[in-house]
Amino acid sequence: AKELNHFEILCISTECTDVDVNKAFKKLALLMHTDKVPAQFKEVAQKCFLRLVAARDVLGDAKKRQAYV
């Protein structure tokens, strides 16, 4: 399977703003938070949540985003 990049993980374009990054993260984090999913999906949700956090950490920081792109 193809590895998703940080923009794809957050479902945002490469021309996104910091506001877009934060809005996308908050929206998806609510869906994938381990407290919000049924027990049988907690392991998958945790992996997804960690990928969301990693994507937000890179794209939400101007220096890291510039190095990433």
Side-chain angles (χ1 to χ4, degrees):
K2 176 185 167 250
E3 184 71 22
L4 296 176
N5 70 41
H6 292 318
F7 295 101
E8 293 170 330
I9 290 169
L10 291 175
C11 303
I12 53 178
S13 77
T14 55
E15 278 81 47
C16 64
T17 65
D18 290 345
V19 172
D20 297 331
V21 171
N22 287 326
K23 284 173 69 173
F25 172 77
K26 287 178 184 178
K27 179 180 175 182
L28 294 169
L30 283 175
L31 293 173
M32 289 294 128
H33 197 279
T34 55
D35 291 341
K36 303 285 185 182
V37 297
Q40 68 265 31
F41 299 116
K42 285 197 185 286
E43 188 176 327
V44 172
Q46 182 177 17
K47 289 178 184 178
C48 291
F49 186 78
L50 292 175
R51 291 180 78 187
L52 289 170
V53 170
R56 191 259 335 257
D57 288 348
V58 171
L59 299 180
D61 180 286
K63 286 182 181 180
K64 290 180 184 178
R65 186 193 307 194
Q66 189 173 21
Y68 180 75
V69 177

